[in-house]
Amino acid sequence: MSSSFGQIFRISTFGESHGGAVGVVVDGCPPRLPISLEEIQADLDRRKPGQSRITTSRQEDDRAEIVSGVFEGRTLGTPIGIVVRNKDARPAAYEQMKDLYRPSHADYTTEAKYGIRNWQGGGRASARETVGRVAAGAIARKLIRTAADIEVLAWVRSVHEVEAKIDPEAVTLESVESNLVRCPEPSAAAEMLKRIDAARARGDSLGGVVECVARGVPPGLGAPVFDKLEAELASALMSLPASKGFEVGSGFEGTRMTGIEHNDPFVPGKHGRPHTESNRSGGIQGGISNGEPIVMRVAFKPTATISQAQQTVTREGQPTTLEAQGRHDPCVLPRAVPIVEAMVCLVLADHWLRQRSVDAL
Amino acid sequence: MSSSFGQIFRISTFGESHGGAVGVVVDGCPPRLPISLEEIQADLDRRKPGQSRITTSRQEDDRAEIVSGVFEGRTLGTPIGIVVRNKDARPAAYEQMKDLYRPSHADYTTEAKYGIRNWQGGGRASARETVGRVAAGAIARKLIRTAADIEVLAWVRSVHEVEAKIDPEAVTLESVESNLVRCPEPSAAAEMLKRIDAARARGDSLGGVVECVARGVPPGLGAPVFDKLEAELASALMSLPASKGFEVGSGFEGTRMTGIEHNDPFVPGKHGRPHTESNRSGGIQGGISNGEPIVMRVAFKPTATISQAQQTVTREGQPTTLEAQGRHDPCVLPRAVPIVEAMVCLVLADHWLRQRSVDAL
Amino acid sequence: MSSSFGQIFRISTFGESHGGAVGVVVDGCPPRLPISLEEIQADLDRRKPGQSRITTSRQEDDRAEIVSGVFEGRTLGTPIGIVVRNKDARPAAYEQMKDLYRPSHADYTTEAKYGIRNWQGGGRASARETVGRVAAGAIARKLIRTAADIEVLAWVRSVHEVEAKIDPEAVTLESVESNLVRCPEPSAAAEMLKRIDAARARGDSLGGVVECVARGVPPGLGAPVFDKLEAELASALMSLPASKGFEVGSGFEGTRMTGIEHNDPFVPGKHGRPHTESNRSGGIQGGISNGEPIVMRVAFKPTATISQAQQTVTREGQPTTLEAQGRHDPCVLPRAVPIVEAMVCLVLADHWLRQRSVDAL
Amino acid sequence: MSSSFGQIFRISTFGESHGGAVGVVVDGCPPRLPISLEEIQADLDRRKPGQSRITTSRQEDDRAEIVSGVFEGRTLGTPIGIVVRNKDARPAAYEQMKDLYRPSHADYTTEAKYGIRNWQGGGRASARETVGRVAAGAIARKLIRTAADIEVLAWVRSVHEVEAKIDPEAVTLESVESNLVRCPEPSAAAEMLKRIDAARARGDSLGGVVECVARGVPPGLGAPVFDKLEAELASALMSLPASKGFEVGSGFEGTRMTGIEHNDPFVPGKHGRPHTESNRSGGIQGGISNGEPIVMRVAFKPTATISQAQQTVTREGQPTTLEAQGRHDPCVLPRAVPIVEAMVCLVLADHWLRQRSVDAL
């Protein structure tokens, strides 16, 4: 069960970093949705390695093949199977990791859990697993855009100590894609790029925060108890490699306000709906969307793979020193942007479909 | 499905704030676990309203009745049904809320979702729903303590701008329970109490951060992809009323470190296991526990119910003013502590049981 | 998980035969469905013990209490909690069963599974657990009748060697309820009654076949692979105590026909839909309803509780003889009728709701 | 969700009859299980088309590729992805079916459900979907044999009116595989073969009954309520194309016995366990295995594809005549045998793993 996500719009991913292929099965997508390979590939291309000098140099085209579930350009309502072959796997590069545990990686915990580990790369813990999420997310994105005119957009809000202030209501895909970092504020982006270059040069790495907005979400999506929209978004985003924190709306900063300052007063809005001029709720109240933009943030730690020597232990429990080789991102943030979007699209597609049965009468 | 939580140790809650009863069905608890009503009641008593001057004055004993699943002091392996009668419901007090939406509450979103609302209290969105979680959490706590010697403990880390520094490895239940606020640092607790009293006096409310540690979790619990331990903990805790943010380990602060600073080097530990002297990973690496204490934080916004006049709209979309009456907590943090613990116990019990099938061969 | 059923319209039952209460939580029922306690009670009354001389003499009123999820006569969309108190439990009567296993009961297997057993009655294996199913089924019945004009009706087709031929398209509730046996063919019913009386008199028991029809099911419900409508109906009905077989349409008899004889040719039908004049498919083709009546049959073995002496073993493995006392049905068929209907209603309500998300675009 | 099966040992199949590929993702298989491609292929070869003169002439090698989840001959505990390319798809042969509905096929119901249909073959309703089930079933078979010494074996019990009497305790794989029909009784097999040849010659088809035994199942597998072992087996087997009925133990015949005749008395057995000399319970009591052989039967209707002219309607509702071409099995029974085994192995593997968490304390 642990490789499946969603209740109605449900995906199952498979594949290891350096195995034969990675992929996904999407079950529960409604029939007759127009979808093309190009739409899926567009999101995969934003995620793929080797796309710029600040991403890993692993060369993968990440060309998707749809093996089922789509017929004459439309979904059939049956499982959509997507396979992406691994081309540039270099298991031999991991030979040195066979008998030791990389610090702050999943090597030790994988072995503690399973008693076996594919040491040729990160296995399932590798960010390569997110290929399937992004492919499925592209279909989810198409669904919620087509059916409900929902738009999901993410960007890099901070790298290390460099923080950009972005207006979630106004930001555009063009501004996000205008630079390698995917930060829509040009001067902040330039500074971020400088720091990433420097970190890479010294064999170090950086973390940061991705911010994401979902615009046009109709009021009523979500659930009042365990499946609160913020709970499912938190789960979706905390399931990404390297994520350490999640916030919606006012987040941790909101705890420093009083109730009078924090509440979002209602005023009459469009279509007779209530509207809030402030949005400290982040578009969700009591687990259910209120029609305002849903705004959330995810903290990503600095990449665990670094080139400097580190203290660790062997599988036999002996202290040793690791000097990592191999290819990696000095900062995962730029490539995390489309992955965050994919997860948010998956959650919203699922809840939009779940609402169909609530609205049944 | 939306009122159920967990895969193996699975709970389903029911009941509204001002209906006849609230309760829970616990399915999947292993047979032969010794459990008494007193153990369940002990946690309910820490959660119950009216326990001190800084909690709501609603008078509920919250006496639990076990109607099935326990026989001669031990679990049967079959569903454990627990019912708690509502005694001090005052639906009439909510009459004024019938036709308007309280700001930053779930009144509007509930109606947007369901097209109907039990306006006599917060319905399912009320914190009263957490009675079932805490009752079930007490059973989960007993299971993981009995089977794996895991201990889960939470406390108030901050209220408004007052923050206490607590050592998660050393903190004790006695120190947490030593004051009304449930902050184990006495001077911070005194300052928090002062601010809560002041907020209550002026009809305002405060938020803050609850911190939680799970000690003694064996390495190997969790999963590598969607069901990462941090993802399930995030989901569990973001499903609590009023929560706006979640962090594990270094959290958002960790994004300001570099990889060299952030990584947790391994050293030889007890029982031949690797150990990390730092714990920026927060006890979880790649979604799976590594044997170090699991440390997490949850942000709770200031209580939405305040006594001062607020701008809002009616169900017909007309602007109006709300002056709320009724009983509420000026700060939910002290009562949130046992609820946070309950959710963490539920997640760990579920993953501990899930690991049984991984360890099958 | 094992006490929950359904995906969208999902129920969780709880309670043992001789514990404090039995009940059910219904999650996923759409909001705004009008439902009264009387409608639920009506089905419970058809199931309750002591309703006639051919049922067990245990005296239970089976009065249901709705503790949540219904407000002012309509569902809220949130979990509906229903509790039925056990009144006439006589655990002492089971004292003799404490240390031995009743043949063809679940005593031994329960202990093999759980290592513990509530020996005061059949525990979860008791037909008393079906109280929750029938209460939930009454809500499901109301939903599919209101939303889709679907009618579900069952009857006793055979008892021992006495078989009635009934036309599933024409049979009425009145004819089913016209006698104690619930067989709509009066002369067969009289013969069945005679045999049941005789079996009871000699301390023996009888089995038989219940037949069920769902009329008005729209084409398109079900699924093409694992969740085929016939698979879910089979699962639902084979989960009833004492059931040993399931058939849909032509069933086992159909294996004696050739393809030419068995196929149902299509002819133009109402509303431009294809229609089949024969119905060997039983209303389902490829797992999906085709608009014809869904016709199925369930085999129930003779009641395992008999009054004659039987050979068995003790918990310590010693041979012994059991002379059962206690109250039981000499033939479960008459009371099985509303239980079969309840399960079929639950499956159809779930699939009708699941189809909402398929029809989303 | 509808293309997934199982709770712990969980499979998701994908692929259409005439699309690019079919396959399966197996999630939840324990790590460190030795498994080879040959073991999987062996079961696929028993299922594959073109294996004899009485199966369809479609030529598919059905060569499986394992793309993830297995490393150096052992499972990793992570999802096992298996892909089988379609080689001999002939979509053009189905051109005539584009605008009409084949009687007793899923053409019409698929369109009623989805509003779209891949008319190039049976799509998901095709028996080709079972490739994924059989591949996954081979892994499940290996698991339960390795871990619990459970053996699952099926055979053809009847074709049309020819019925073989087989002893489920004694039958061997060798005797099943000794002839094309997979009926272990040679003279019955010869008569069955004669009838199948004759049906094929006249463009007709035949049905029959497959019987299956699971030997060595330990007592305690299953569940007492909805997930009764017989309910899950029924669901598994009624989800196979063309199945119309399911029985366990005494089945429908048992309804003609009285309780005294039907009950299975307990006697002292091996290892201090109770044993039953008769097995009318079919190895399951109250939904839970009792240690005796589990015996079940599945009715398969005659193949819906026949070569003779049939009455049907077009998509526009006009009456027309179909003279089917294309390749098909005149009797699905021989190829159904390994598919039935696969489904039973999947159910038992899942329940064996589920029992790990019941046995946790």
Side-chain angles (χ1 to χ4, degrees):
Chain A
M1 296 174 282
S2 97
S3 287
S4 294
F5 184 81
Q7 293 195 9
I8 302 284
F9 193 102
R10 185 167 177 85
I11 71 169
S12 301
T13 67
F14 58 91
E16 290 102 43
S17 174
H18 289 67
V22 290
V24 66
V25 179
V26 180
D27 202 358
C29 182
R32 290 170 283 108
L33 179 72
I35 187 80
S36 70
L37 191 56
E38 288 68 35
E39 289 167 299
I40 294 168
Q41 198 63 51
D43 276 352
L44 286 175
D45 287 349
R46 294 174 72 210
R47 196 216 74 94
K48 77 177 175 188
Q51 62 182 265
S52 78
R53 76 170 191 267
I54 57 169
T55 63
T56 170
S57 61
R58 180 171 172 170
Q59 292 300 320
E60 292 284 355
D61 276 348
D62 283 353
R63 305 306 300 178
E65 180 192 8
I66 301 174
V67 299
S68 70
V70 176
F71 182 62
E72 299 180 340
R74 292 191 303 161
T75 57
L76 285 166
T78 50
I80 304 169
I82 300 178
V83 177
V84 172
R85 293 279 158 185
N86 291 329
K87 296 275 176 63
D88 190 22
R90 295 190 197 164
Y94 288 82
E95 190 80 31
Q96 67 173 139
M97 276 74 138
K98 187 173 178 179
D99 294 313
L100 56 76
Y101 302 124
R102 289 172 295 164
S104 291
H105 270 275
D107 298 344
Y108 166 58
T109 54
T110 298
E111 219 161 283
K113 181 173 193 66
Y114 295 115
I116 186 176
R117 173 169 64 99
N118 180 345
W119 48 265
Q120 299 173 335
R124 288 294 284 165
S126 164
R128 189 136 189 83
E129 180 272 337
T130 61
V131 163
R133 304 186 190 216
V134 170
I139 301 171
R141 185 195 297 273
K142 185 70 182 289
L143 173 62
I144 57 178
R145 188 187 295 157
T146 303
D149 209 20
I150 297 171
E151 182 191 21
V152 172
L153 189 58
W155 58 90
V156 173
R157 178 190 165 108
S158 71
V159 167
H160 200 228
E161 292 162 327
V162 186
E163 185 167 347
K165 289 285 180 205
I166 312 295
D167 176 2
E169 307 217 15
V171 62
T172 64
L173 177 61
E174 290 65 35
S175 65
V176 173
E177 293 294 316
S178 67
N179 58 66
L180 300 187
V181 185
R182 293 202 169 91
C183 170
E185 210 276 274
S187 63
E191 178 63 21
M192 291 169 180
L193 189 55
K194 212 168 81 182
R195 296 216 184 182
I196 297 171
D197 279 334
R200 181 155 75 147
R202 69 175 186 269
D204 204 351
S205 66
L206 300 179
V209 175
V210 169
E211 192 163 38
C212 182
V213 66
R215 295 188 290 228
V217 179
L221 299 198
V225 186
F226 298 111
D227 298 353
K228 283 188 171 76
L229 206 47
E230 61 268 44
E232 303 242 319
L233 289 166
S235 171
L237 295 170
M238 292 300 296
S239 81
L240 293 179
S243 62
K244 301 300 285 182
F246 171 84
E247 290 184 328
V248 63
S250 63
F252 281 88
E253 270 307 298
T255 67
R256 297 173 176 270
M257 306 172 83
T258 76
I260 291 169
E261 296 160 356
H262 191 275
N263 277 1
D264 294 312
F266 282 119
V267 296
K270 289 179 193 164
H271 319 299
R273 279 186 195 165
H275 166 61
T276 65
E277 287 176 353
S278 58
N279 188 18
R280 288 175 283 269
S281 297
I284 306 174
Q285 291 176 328
I288 302 169
S289 62
N290 67 356
E292 307 298 326
I294 297 177
V295 182
M296 64 212 105
R297 287 170 295 282
V298 196
F300 289 95
K301 69 173 186 177
T303 317
T305 304
I306 53 178
S307 307
Q308 301 200 3
Q310 296 179 85
Q311 179 185 2
T312 189
V313 296
T314 65
R315 296 183 65 208
E316 281 69 39
Q318 299 307 309
T320 186
T321 299
L322 167 69
E323 293 191 51
Q325 300 158 358
R327 303 158 295 179
H328 65 275
D329 293 83
C331 177
V332 299
L333 276 286
R335 290 176 62 204
V337 164
I339 304 173
V340 165
E341 291 178 2
M343 293 311 296
V344 172
C345 288
L346 288 168
V347 170
L348 294 176
D350 191 44
H351 274 278
W352 185 80
L353 286 169
R354 288 167 67 174
Q355 187 64 13
R356 295 315 99 205
S357 65
V358 176
D359 289 340
L361 293 182
Chain B
M1 295 175 283
S2 97
S3 287
S4 295
F5 184 80
Q7 293 195 8
I8 303 283
F9 194 101
R10 184 167 177 86
I11 72 169
S12 301
T13 68
F14 58 92
E16 289 102 44
S17 174
H18 289 67
V22 291
V24 67
V25 179
V26 180
D27 202 358
C29 183
R32 290 170 282 108
L33 178 72
I35 188 81
S36 70
L37 192 53
E38 289 66 38
E39 290 167 299
I40 295 169
Q41 198 62 51
D43 275 352
L44 286 175
D45 287 349
R46 295 174 73 210
R47 194 218 74 94
K48 79 176 174 187
Q51 62 181 264
S52 80
R53 75 172 191 267
I54 56 169
T55 64
T56 171
S57 61
R58 180 170 173 171
Q59 291 300 319
E60 293 284 355
D61 276 348
D62 285 355
R63 305 305 301 178
E65 180 192 6
I66 301 175
V67 299
S68 69
V70 177
F71 182 64
E72 300 180 338
R74 292 192 301 162
T75 57
L76 285 166
T78 51
I80 304 169
I82 299 177
V83 176
V84 173
R85 293 277 158 188
N86 292 328
K87 295 277 174 63
D88 189 23
R90 297 190 195 164
Y94 289 82
E95 190 80 29
Q96 66 173 139
M97 275 75 139
K98 187 174 178 179
D99 294 314
L100 56 75
Y101 302 125
R102 290 173 294 164
S104 291
H105 269 275
D107 298 345
Y108 166 58
T109 54
T110 298
E111 219 162 285
K113 181 172 193 66
Y114 295 116
I116 186 175
R117 173 168 65 99
N118 180 346
W119 48 265
Q120 299 173 335
R124 289 294 284 166
S126 165
R128 191 141 187 78
E129 179 272 336
T130 61
V131 163
R133 304 186 191 215
V134 170
I139 301 171
R141 186 196 296 274
K142 185 70 181 290
L143 173 62
I144 57 178
R145 188 186 295 158
T146 304
D149 208 20
I150 297 171
E151 182 191 20
V152 172
L153 189 59
W155 58 90
V156 174
R157 178 188 164 112
S158 72
V159 167
H160 200 229
E161 291 162 328
V162 185
E163 185 167 347
K165 289 286 180 206
I166 312 294
D167 175 2
E169 306 218 15
V171 63
T172 65
L173 177 61
E174 291 63 37
S175 65
V176 173
E177 293 295 316
S178 68
N179 58 67
L180 301 186
V181 186
R182 292 201 169 92
C183 171
E185 208 276 274
S187 64
E191 177 63 22
M192 290 170 181
L193 189 56
K194 212 168 81 180
R195 297 216 184 182
I196 296 172
D197 280 332
R200 182 156 75 148
R202 68 176 188 269
D204 204 352
S205 65
L206 299 179
V209 174
V210 170
E211 194 163 35
C212 183
V213 66
R215 294 188 291 228
V217 179
L221 299 198
V225 185
F226 297 111
D227 299 353
K228 283 188 170 77
L229 205 47
E230 62 266 44
E232 303 241 318
L233 289 165
S235 171
L237 295 170
M238 293 299 297
S239 81
L240 294 178
S243 63
K244 303 299 285 182
F246 170 85
E247 288 184 331
V248 63
S250 63
F252 280 88
E253 271 307 298
T255 67
R256 296 172 177 272
M257 305 171 83
T258 74
I260 292 169
E261 296 159 357
H262 191 275
N263 277 2
D264 294 312
F266 282 118
V267 297
K270 289 178 193 164
H271 319 299
R273 279 186 197 165
H275 166 61
T276 66
E277 288 175 354
S278 58
N279 188 16
R280 288 174 284 270
S281 298
I284 306 173
Q285 291 176 327
I288 302 168
S289 62
N290 67 356
E292 307 298 326
I294 297 178
V295 183
M296 63 213 104
R297 288 170 294 281
V298 196
F300 290 95
K301 68 174 186 177
T303 317
T305 303
I306 53 178
S307 307
Q308 301 201 5
Q310 297 180 84
Q311 179 184 2
T312 188
V313 296
T314 66
R315 294 183 67 210
E316 281 68 41
Q318 297 306 309
T320 187
T321 299
L322 167 69
E323 293 191 50
Q325 298 157 0
R327 304 157 295 179
H328 65 275
D329 292 85
C331 176
V332 298
L333 276 286
R335 291 177 63 206
V337 164
I339 305 173
V340 164
E341 290 176 3
M343 294 310 297
V344 172
C345 288
L346 289 168
V347 170
L348 293 176
D350 191 43
H351 274 278
W352 185 79
L353 286 169
R354 288 165 68 175
Q355 187 65 13
R356 295 314 99 204
S357 65
V358 176
D359 288 340
L361 292 183
Chain C
M1 295 173 285
S2 98
S3 286
S4 294
F5 184 81
Q7 293 197 6
I8 303 283
F9 193 101
R10 184 167 178 85
I11 72 169
S12 301
T13 68
F14 58 91
E16 289 102 44
S17 174
H18 288 68
V22 290
V24 67
V25 179
V26 180
D27 202 358
C29 182
R32 289 170 282 107
L33 179 72
I35 188 81
S36 69
L37 191 54
E38 289 67 36
E39 290 167 298
I40 294 169
Q41 198 62 53
D43 275 353
L44 286 175
D45 286 350
R46 295 173 73 210
R47 194 217 76 94
K48 78 176 174 189
Q51 63 182 264
S52 79
R53 75 171 191 267
I54 57 169
T55 64
T56 170
S57 61
R58 179 169 173 170
Q59 291 301 319
E60 293 283 357
D61 276 348
D62 284 354
R63 306 305 300 178
E65 180 192 6
I66 301 175
V67 298
S68 69
V70 176
F71 183 63
E72 299 180 339
R74 292 191 301 163
T75 56
L76 285 167
T78 51
I80 304 169
I82 299 177
V83 177
V84 173
R85 293 276 158 188
N86 291 330
K87 296 274 174 64
D88 189 24
R90 296 190 196 163
Y94 288 84
E95 190 80 29
Q96 66 172 138
M97 276 75 139
K98 188 174 177 178
D99 294 313
L100 57 76
Y101 303 125
R102 290 171 294 164
S104 291
H105 271 275
D107 299 344
Y108 166 58
T109 54
T110 297
E111 219 161 285
K113 180 173 193 68
Y114 295 117
I116 187 174
R117 173 168 64 99
N118 181 344
W119 48 265
Q120 298 173 334
R124 290 293 285 166
S126 165
R128 190 139 187 80
E129 179 272 336
T130 61
V131 164
R133 304 185 190 215
V134 170
I139 301 171
R141 186 197 295 275
K142 185 69 181 289
L143 172 62
I144 57 178
R145 189 187 296 158
T146 303
D149 209 21
I150 297 171
E151 183 190 20
V152 172
L153 190 58
W155 59 90
V156 174
R157 178 188 165 111
S158 72
V159 167
H160 200 227
E161 291 162 328
V162 186
E163 185 166 347
K165 289 285 180 205
I166 312 295
D167 176 2
E169 307 219 13
V171 63
T172 66
L173 176 61
E174 291 65 35
S175 65
V176 173
E177 293 295 316
S178 67
N179 58 67
L180 302 186
V181 185
R182 294 203 168 90
C183 170
E185 209 276 273
S187 64
E191 178 64 20
M192 290 170 180
L193 189 55
K194 213 169 79 181
R195 297 215 183 183
I196 296 171
D197 279 333
R200 181 157 75 148
R202 68 175 186 270
D204 204 352
S205 65
L206 299 179
V209 174
V210 170
E211 192 163 38
C212 183
V213 67
R215 295 188 290 228
V217 179
L221 299 198
V225 185
F226 298 111
D227 298 353
K228 283 189 170 76
L229 205 46
E230 62 269 43
E232 304 242 319
L233 289 165
S235 171
L237 295 169
M238 292 301 296
S239 81
L240 294 178
S243 61
K244 302 299 286 182
F246 170 84
E247 288 185 329
V248 63
S250 63
F252 280 88
E253 271 307 298
T255 67
R256 297 173 176 271
M257 306 173 82
T258 75
I260 292 169
E261 295 159 358
H262 191 275
N263 277 1
D264 294 312
F266 282 119
V267 297
K270 289 180 193 163
H271 319 298
R273 278 186 197 165
H275 166 63
T276 65
E277 287 175 355
S278 58
N279 187 17
R280 287 174 283 268
S281 297
I284 306 174
Q285 290 176 329
I288 302 168
S289 62
N290 67 356
E292 307 298 325
I294 296 177
V295 182
M296 65 214 102
R297 288 170 294 282
V298 196
F300 290 95
K301 68 173 186 178
T303 317
T305 304
I306 53 179
S307 308
Q308 301 202 4
Q310 296 179 84
Q311 179 185 4
T312 188
V313 296
T314 65
R315 295 183 66 209
E316 282 67 41
Q318 297 306 310
T320 186
T321 298
L322 167 70
E323 294 192 50
Q325 298 158 0
R327 304 158 294 180
H328 65 275
D329 294 84
C331 176
V332 299
L333 276 286
R335 290 177 63 205
V337 164
I339 304 173
V340 165
E341 290 177 2
M343 293 311 296
V344 172
C345 287
L346 288 168
V347 170
L348 293 176
D350 191 44
H351 274 278
W352 185 79
L353 286 169
R354 287 166 67 175
Q355 187 64 14
R356 295 313 100 205
S357 66
V358 176
D359 288 340
L361 293 183
Chain D
M1 296 174 282
S2 98
S3 286
S4 294
F5 184 81
Q7 292 195 10
I8 302 284
F9 194 101
R10 186 168 176 85
I11 71 168
S12 301
T13 67
F14 58 91
E16 290 102 43
S17 173
H18 288 67
V22 290
V24 67
V25 179
V26 180
D27 202 359
C29 182
R32 291 171 281 109
L33 179 72
I35 188 81
S36 69
L37 190 56
E38 288 66 37
E39 288 167 300
I40 295 170
Q41 198 64 51
D43 275 351
L44 286 175
D45 287 350
R46 293 173 73 210
R47 196 217 74 94
K48 76 177 176 188
Q51 62 182 262
S52 79
R53 75 171 192 267
I54 58 169
T55 63
T56 170
S57 61
R58 179 170 174 172
Q59 291 301 319
E60 293 283 354
D61 275 348
D62 285 353
R63 305 307 299 178
E65 180 191 8
I66 301 175
V67 299
S68 70
V70 177
F71 182 63
E72 299 181 338
R74 293 191 301 162
T75 56
L76 285 166
T78 51
I80 305 169
I82 300 177
V83 177
V84 173
R85 295 278 158 186
N86 291 329
K87 296 275 174 64
D88 189 23
R90 297 191 196 163
Y94 288 83
E95 189 80 30
Q96 68 173 138
M97 277 74 138
K98 187 174 178 178
D99 294 313
L100 57 77
Y101 303 125
R102 289 172 295 163
S104 291
H105 271 275
D107 299 344
Y108 165 58
T109 54
T110 298
E111 218 160 286
K113 180 172 194 67
Y114 295 116
I116 186 175
R117 173 169 64 99
N118 179 345
W119 48 265
Q120 298 173 336
R124 288 293 284 167
S126 163
R128 190 139 187 80
E129 180 273 336
T130 61
V131 163
R133 306 185 188 216
V134 170
I139 301 171
R141 185 197 297 273
K142 184 70 181 288
L143 172 62
I144 56 178
R145 187 186 296 158
T146 303
D149 209 21
I150 297 171
E151 182 191 21
V152 172
L153 189 58
W155 58 90
V156 173
R157 179 189 165 109
S158 72
V159 167
H160 200 230
E161 291 162 329
V162 185
E163 185 167 346
K165 290 285 182 205
I166 311 294
D167 176 1
E169 308 219 13
V171 62
T172 64
L173 176 62
E174 290 64 38
S175 65
V176 173
E177 293 294 317
S178 68
N179 58 66
L180 301 186
V181 185
R182 292 202 169 91
C183 170
E185 209 276 274
S187 64
E191 178 63 21
M192 291 170 180
L193 189 57
K194 211 169 83 181
R195 296 217 185 182
I196 296 172
D197 279 333
R200 182 156 75 148
R202 68 176 187 269
D204 204 351
S205 66
L206 298 180
V209 174
V210 169
E211 193 163 36
C212 183
V213 66
R215 296 189 288 228
V217 179
L221 299 198
V225 186
F226 298 111
D227 299 353
K228 282 187 171 77
L229 206 47
E230 62 268 44
E232 303 242 319
L233 289 165
S235 170
L237 295 170
M238 292 300 297
S239 80
L240 294 179
S243 63
K244 304 299 286 182
F246 170 86
E247 289 183 329
V248 65
S250 64
F252 281 87
E253 270 308 298
T255 68
R256 296 171 177 271
M257 305 172 85
T258 75
I260 293 169
E261 297 160 355
H262 191 274
N263 277 2
D264 293 312
F266 282 118
V267 296
K270 290 180 193 163
H271 320 298
R273 281 184 194 164
H275 166 62
T276 65
E277 286 176 354
S278 58
N279 188 16
R280 287 174 283 269
S281 298
I284 306 175
Q285 291 176 329
I288 301 169
S289 61
N290 67 356
E292 306 299 325
I294 297 178
V295 182
M296 64 212 103
R297 288 170 293 282
V298 196
F300 290 94
K301 68 174 186 178
T303 317
T305 303
I306 52 177
S307 308
Q308 300 202 4
Q310 296 179 86
Q311 179 186 4
T312 190
V313 296
T314 65
R315 296 184 65 208
E316 281 68 39
Q318 298 307 308
T320 186
T321 298
L322 166 69
E323 293 192 50
Q325 300 157 359
R327 304 158 294 178
H328 66 276
D329 293 84
C331 177
V332 299
L333 276 286
R335 290 177 62 205
V337 164
I339 305 173
V340 165
E341 290 177 2
M343 294 311 296
V344 173
C345 288
L346 289 168
V347 170
L348 293 176
D350 191 44
H351 274 277
W352 185 81
L353 286 170
R354 289 166 66 176
Q355 186 64 13
R356 294 315 99 202
S357 65
V358 176
D359 288 341
L361 293 182

